[in-house]
Amino acid sequence: MPAATHKIHDNDTWLNMSLMLLSIRFVQGFIFWGGGSRRFIYAPQKLDPDAASWMANKLQSAMPGALLDLHLPISFLLQHFILLYTAIILFSLAEILTGIALLTGTMSRLAGFISIALSVSLMLIFGWQGGTRMDEWTMAVCNLAMGCT
């Protein structure tokens, strides 16, 4: 009889762990969906080079604090518009597709790995500039932790 009780307890533990992981996947999926959809759907001016909220403006302000000499490729991108615009579109597309995959459970391990790569990229690009880039750093670290989970 004690073995059956132990088995029920194990099932409850796995169920609880599954629900926790599911909620983490949904939260991260919504964050990534929100980041990508904001650029493509809700605030397309972020993809407009003439708008004040254009994504390249963030790259330019982050460049001095980039880690591992990433200021060099960022500077190169900023000087070559077609490559810059392509990189911004591809990053945004990766973000929205990762969010959709996490929300729907489609290839969730691959989506988790991509979320880790995107998060590490953001952490390296924005570097550590103290309070001036606290939001980007905080979001990237939280997404890194969720992706690893």
Side-chain angles (χ1 to χ4, degrees):
M1 186 96 163
T5 306
H6 182 66
K7 188 173 185 174
I8 292 171
H9 176 70
D10 284 346
N11 288 340
D12 289 344
T13 301
W14 284 110
L15 176 65
N16 289 335
M17 287 175 28
S18 299
L19 291 173
M20 286 186 275
L21 288 173
L22 181 65
S23 65
I24 290 170
R25 196 184 85 213
F26 280 157
V27 168
Q28 187 179 31
F30 184 74
I31 289 169
F32 275 88
W33 160 260
S37 66
R38 201 172 29 244
R39 285 178 224 116
F40 288 119
I41 301 168
Y42 303 113
Q45 64 272 18
K46 289 182 172 278
L47 297 176
D48 179 4
D50 297 323
S53 60
W54 189 39
M55 293 298 298
N57 293 337
K58 272 194 170 191
L59 277 176
Q60 187 169 351
S61 66
M63 191 172 56
L67 302 174
L68 303 177
D69 286 334
L70 280 179
H71 66 280
L72 299 172
I74 293 171
S75 176
F76 181 82
L77 281 175
L78 289 171
Q79 294 173 26
H80 297 87
F81 178 76
I82 299 297
L83 294 176
L84 173 65
Y85 198 78
T86 302
I88 290 172
I89 294 294
L90 290 176
F91 188 90
S92 299
L93 190 60
E95 202 172 21
I96 198 168
L97 292 176
T98 299
I100 290 169
L102 289 169
L103 286 169
T104 61
T106 306
M107 297 186 287
S108 55
R109 288 183 182 168
L110 177 61
F113 179 75
I114 293 170
S115 74
I116 291 169
L118 293 172
S119 298
V120 169
S121 298
L122 288 174
M123 291 168 69
L124 293 174
I125 289 169
F126 287 103
W128 180 250
Q129 298 182 20
T132 59
R133 291 285 171 227
M134 186 61 82
D135 292 342
E136 288 86 355
W137 183 264
T138 303
M139 188 59 85
V141 168
C142 289
N143 277 314
L144 175 64
M146 286 187 276
C148 288
T149 302

